[in-house]
Amino acid sequence: MEVNKEPLAAPCGLYCGVCAIYIAHRDGNLKFKEKLTAVYGVPCDELHCRGCLSDDVFAYCRVCPIKTCASERKIEGCHHCTDFPCGHIDSFPIPVGKQEILRSVPVRRDLGTEQWMEEEEKRCRCSRCGNALFRGAKRCNACGAAVEMEK
Ligand code: SF4
Ligand code: SF4
Ligand SMILES: [Zn+2]
């Protein structure tokens, strides 16, 4: 079945198609959700999301100031903003997320949204077996290889 990627094109540049919460919920993977409860500090039943631009958004992302800002400026995302990287990006609460935004937004600006999403998926594949992984995965859950995502 073809996945509708539209809701996954987060304005901040953190592509939702490789987000752990999105993948765990899409796959109905309770074991994965249980692991994520510790990471996000919320119970399992709150770990659901169908993408930043869907009508089922994870609580933290629902109130994201970056999303609000892009929407107020009537732009698709920060890749269309001349103020990037602004104070909202600078104060993004998760350091590794901020690093990802700073990497990803210029790529999206260069490639356009569709190709950017494809590239984001490619960089989250296991280099040994090609299995699709989530952003930040340390080990491939199919072949067990250690994963080193490019910066
Ligand atoms: S939790 Fe946030 S980053 Fe993950 S899919 Fe939902 S909106 Fe996207
Ligand atoms: S001001 Fe910042 S958060 Fe708002 S669209 Fe521009 S780069 Fe994104
Ligand atoms: Zn693998």
Side-chain angles (χ1 to χ4, degrees):
M1 197 182 70
E2 186 75 8
V3 176
N4 174 16
K5 287 192 188 174
E6 241 171 80
L8 307 179
C12 65
L14 289 173
Y15 173 53
C16 297
V18 295
C19 166
I21 298 175
Y22 170 76
I23 291 174
H25 189 59
R26 179 197 64 193
D27 298 347
N29 189 338
L30 257 180
K31 230 171 120 188
F32 191 11
K33 281 195 183 185
E34 272 158 22
K35 283 192 189 153
L36 294 175
T37 57
V39 180
Y40 291 95
V42 299
C44 242
D45 61 355
E46 286 179 30
L47 284 167
H48 54 88
C49 190
R50 298 205 179 272
C52 184
L53 304 179
S54 75
D55 51 15
D56 177 11
V57 184
F58 177 53
Y60 293 176
C61 295
R62 216 178 294 150
V63 294
C64 173
I66 299 177
K67 179 155 83 173
T68 309
C69 179
S71 144
E72 282 169 2
R73 288 177 178 232
K74 298 191 177 14
I75 53 175
E76 191 187 23
C78 302
H79 58 297
H80 283 324
C81 181
T82 47
D83 291 333
F84 177 84
C86 70
H88 288 310
I89 310 287
D90 198 47
S91 51
F92 194 78
I94 308 163
V96 50
K98 176 176 159 182
Q99 213 180 321
E100 270 293 289
I101 291 172
L102 293 172
R103 176 199 61 78
S104 172
V105 167
V107 177
R108 185 175 183 181
R109 192 190 288 134
D110 288 350
L111 297 180
T113 293
E114 213 163 303
Q115 213 192 324
W116 160 75
M117 291 196 282
E118 276 172 32
E119 290 301 317
E120 292 299 298
E121 281 173 17
K122 272 192 215 153
R123 69 187 297 284
C124 281
R125 286 189 182 280
C126 170
S127 58
R128 191 204 273 171
C129 77
N131 181 36
L133 304 167
F134 64 92
R135 179 173 39 236
K138 298 272 185 281
R139 197 162 283 284
C140 173
N141 60 344
C143 77
V147 174
E148 190 63 58
M149 280 180 202
E150 286 164 44
K151 293 274 186 285

